[in-house]
Amino acid sequence: MNITYRSTRSDSSESVTASYAILKGLADDGGLFVPVEFPVLDTPIEELAQMSYQEVAFTVLRLFLSDFSDEEIRDCVNKAYDEKFDTDVIAPISYADGAYYLELYHGRTIAFKDMALSILPHFMRYAAKKNNISNEIVILTATSGDTGKAALAGFADVPGTRIVVFYPKDGVSPVQERQMVTQKGSNTFVVGIRGNFDDAQTAVKRMFSDQALGEKLDRNGFMFSSANSINIGRLLPQVVYYVYAYAALYKNGRIKAGEPINVTVPTGNFGNILAAYFAKKIGTPIDKLICASNKNKVLTDFFHTGNYDRNRDFYVTSSPSMDILVSSNLERLIYLIDGRDPKKTAQLMAQLGKEGSYDITDDMRGQLSDFYADFATEEETQSAIRELYRKTGYVIDTHTAVASSVYGKYVKASGDTKPTVIASTASPYKFARSVVGAIKGDVSGYSEIELIDMLTELSGVAQPPAIIELKTAPIVHKTVCDIDKMNDEVLGFLGIRE
Ligand SMILES: *Cc1c(COP(=O)(O)O)cnc(C)c1O
């Protein structure tokens, strides 16, 4: 099946190749690329169960990346899922208190964004070649903390690419800052800005749309691109681990062939859970997709009422990567449940932009029966960490705890006890203060390093390389600038002097 891609907002009948969609990131009309139809995963489960993570990745990705050769996909997979991960199986599963925790945090930055950002740079290199682009790709990113580091780690030392990350100098945690400014790789550049995240984000968006700047880059052999989570090249690698998890449960005798499972995902931008929906669409026997939110429960309200409304208070929680009021990837689901009608999708998104809210039709709501949604308060999140630890000794991070809590609510409400995979999105080491606090009570007197050592004692899990490096790695990025000097910093890094 030759799979091509179309923007959620374009009514042109033309579709584009996978490589073009990856290179573009966002369509010119502001829409997101979606496959024109879903391929079918027809590899028998017995075969999938014998495969390594890399082989499953190859099998799933080749269904979607129709204009990549098998060799190219293999090369991307092998370069992405190698010893950067601290376990051969890449995504191990731990059983605890009635659920399967799919640990997606064994990569470089100990959070699940590594699963996609390890492979995206390699997709991009091939995509550039296929589209006859000889310019070097310059990834521009504004970050509020986590994405920046995962993108840096993914692109570091990948030939043909450079990456520039801007972060608010006083707006990220000390650990997050340290992770970024110690980033190795001669093609990486990290800049602290005097301003907040929104300032950084706005300036980066302006650079992307600055035509004169684009032309200047082109004359000097460069082009901008984005590693943003709406890039289809980030979504597709996330489909892989749901297929892999299903095959692993089968292999270990936990489920019979074809037996349906449920999946619970701690959700922010709606990328990870949408990948699970894609896995279901290509034929993985997934029944319910349980969408877990924290106190910023826009999505819970949306699934319960059909009304999406970002006009509300924003809360800073202990699961910061889910503190989001506009879940960008939801646009893809809207498009799919509305008969793939780009006009209607564009209309709803325009309404979201203007009024901050929109309503979907009863017809569309009728197509959301695959999903269940709920949220966890801060107290419930802490208690999920504490209770799981008391019962089993297994330690989860705050984001995973939101999912764990919501899964408990789902079982209570539905009585459905199908085998359930919970996407475990970050290592507890990444959020040591909140995690140790949840288990032991007040930890305000302890330093970050002390808390990390306490966590080792509690969990018995060795400290991942990312944490050990953090303690000793030298600081290599020291640039700090004002908002209006960001352009100059980029040009300086690229050596453009005109
Ligand atoms: C990004 C992130 C999430 C949210 O994932 P989405 O794909 O944006 O829904 C959840 N947990 C962690 C640790 C994350 O970094």
Side-chain angles (χ1 to χ4, degrees):
M1 219 185 301
N2 179 35
I3 303 295
T4 55
Y5 293 80
R6 198 168 279 163
S7 162
T8 50
R9 299 188 197 178
S10 151
D11 50 10
S12 139
S13 58
E14 260 179 51
S15 58
V16 303
T17 59
S19 69
Y20 183 83
I22 289 170
L23 211 53
K24 285 289 286 184
L26 196 68
D28 286 332
D29 52 38
L32 277 54
F33 289 108
V34 177
V36 293
E37 61 184 316
F38 283 100
V40 179
L41 176 66
D42 51 12
T43 313
I45 182 68
E46 293 77 13
E47 244 175 79
L48 287 169
Q50 297 309 316
M51 291 183 184
S52 65
Y53 189 88
Q54 291 83 351
E55 288 165 334
V56 175
F58 170 75
T59 305
V60 172
L61 289 169
R62 72 190 291 276
L63 298 176
F64 286 99
L65 301 177
S66 298
D67 72 323
F68 284 65
S69 72
D70 283 359
E71 258 173 11
E72 289 168 340
I73 297 172
R74 270 214 181 85
D75 186 46
C76 291
V77 166
N78 292 339
K79 286 194 166 114
Y81 305 114
D82 59 8
E83 56 295 340
K84 285 195 285 297
F85 286 76
D86 66 9
T87 159
D88 288 348
V89 295
I90 307 296
I93 298 176
S94 291
Y95 181 76
D97 194 29
Y100 297 96
Y101 288 84
L102 175 63
E103 298 179 359
L104 303 172
Y105 55 74
H106 289 271
R108 278 258 175 84
T109 75
I110 57 177
F112 97 97
K113 292 189 176 63
D114 290 329
M115 301 302 290
L117 280 163
S118 299
I119 199 165
L120 180 69
H122 303 290
F123 286 163
M124 278 201 174
R125 272 180 62 211
Y126 281 116
K129 207 158 80 186
K130 284 176 192 304
N131 290 276
N132 295 317
I133 287 164
S134 55
N135 284 344
E136 211 172 317
I137 297 169
V138 181
I139 301 294
L140 269 194
T141 311
T143 185
S144 54
D146 281 345
T147 306
K149 177 61 188 181
L152 282 164
F155 281 90
D157 289 326
V158 173
T161 73
R162 304 223 193 172
I163 175 162
V164 185
V165 170
F166 293 102
Y167 72 95
K169 177 74 187 137
D170 299 315
V172 300
S173 79
V175 173
Q176 286 175 324
E177 178 172 39
R178 195 163 172 92
Q179 278 190 313
M180 288 191 280
V181 297
T182 54
Q183 178 64 49
K184 292 183 212 124
S186 58
N187 65 334
T188 68
F189 187 43
V190 180
V191 184
I193 61 142
R194 297 186 193 95
N196 61 28
F197 170 67
D198 278 334
D199 297 331
Q201 174 96 315
T202 307
V204 163
K205 278 191 184 152
R206 207 177 303 128
M207 272 189 248
F208 272 121
S209 56
D210 182 340
Q211 219 171 335
L213 182 64
E215 283 162 15
K216 191 183 278 191
L217 252 68
D218 188 48
R219 282 197 299 278
N220 288 276
F222 296 103
M223 72 175 277
F224 284 141
S225 189
S226 162
N228 199 298
S229 83
I230 44 87
N231 193 316
I232 191 80
R234 276 186 63 179
L235 194 62
L236 301 178
Q238 295 176 205
V239 178
V240 172
Y241 47 74
Y242 291 108
V243 176
Y244 178 75
Y246 188 87
L249 291 185
Y250 171 77
K251 182 182 183 178
N252 295 321
R254 305 296 194 138
I255 53 173
K256 293 195 275 297
E259 181 179 345
I261 63 166
N262 294 327
V263 166
T264 307
V265 185
T267 298
N269 221 358
F270 209 73
N272 202 1
I273 193 165
L274 189 72
Y277 182 69
F278 275 35
K280 175 171 183 159
K281 286 285 187 190
I282 64 173
T284 313
I286 295 172
D287 185 18
K288 281 282 186 268
L289 300 144
I290 301 166
C291 175
S293 298
N294 67 21
K295 200 175 170 191
N296 295 293
K297 59 181 186 65
V298 193
L299 287 166
T300 305
D301 294 342
F302 168 73
F303 281 106
H304 291 181
T305 67
N307 170 252
Y308 194 95
D309 189 0
R310 63 155 299 171
N311 302 309
R312 59 176 73 209
D313 291 334
F314 175 83
Y315 300 104
V316 174
T317 73
S318 59
S319 45
S321 301
M322 298 160 67
D323 291 344
I324 285 176
L325 292 183
V326 178
S327 301
S328 320
N329 266 299
L330 188 65
E331 176 168 349
R332 289 190 165 107
L333 182 66
I334 296 291
Y335 175 78
L336 293 172
I337 61 169
D338 202 8
R340 293 177 175 264
D341 185 333
K343 272 209 191 79
K344 286 200 217 153
T345 308
Q347 204 178 346
L348 291 178
M349 293 306 130
Q351 211 176 327
L352 178 65
K354 237 187 352 231
E355 295 155 29
S357 83
Y358 61 83
D359 289 286
I360 59 170
T361 61
D362 287 345
D363 230 24
M364 290 164 76
R365 283 188 73 186
Q367 291 192 59
L368 292 178
S369 58
D370 291 330
F371 291 88
Y372 176 90
D374 209 336
F375 74 104
T377 63
E378 286 293 273
E379 293 72 34
E380 288 169 334
T381 304
Q382 285 192 354
S383 126
I385 295 172
R386 187 169 50 243
E387 291 312 311
L388 189 63
Y389 178 71
R390 285 208 181 133
K391 274 192 201 162
T392 68
Y394 186 61
V395 181
I396 52 175
D397 96 293
T398 46
H399 301 76
T400 309
V402 168
S404 178
S405 170
V406 167
Y407 172 60
K409 291 182 186 188
Y410 170 74
V411 173
K412 225 179 238 164
S414 66
D416 178 4
T417 54
K418 279 190 202 73
T420 293
V421 167
I422 295 179
S424 185
T425 52
S427 161
Y429 278 110
K430 194 151 191 172
F431 300 94
R433 182 170 296 280
S434 302
V435 171
V436 177
I439 295 172
K440 293 190 80 117
D442 183 20
V443 289
S444 50
Y446 296 98
S447 74
E448 216 62 43
I449 302 283
E450 288 170 323
L451 288 163
I452 285 168
D453 291 340
M454 284 161 81
L455 189 51
T456 312
E457 221 164 279
L458 284 172
S459 66
V461 174
Q463 295 181 12
I467 289 291
I468 296 165
E469 270 171 34
L470 204 61
K471 295 179 180 169
T472 55
I475 291 171
V476 286
H477 299 280
K478 296 178 180 160
T479 309
V480 178
C481 79
D482 290 323
I483 306 288
D484 60 351
K485 291 287 182 299
M486 287 166 62
N487 274 24
D488 298 345
E489 289 296 343
V490 173
L491 293 175
F493 171 60
L494 300 177
I496 297 175
R497 307 262 171 247
E498 58 175 294

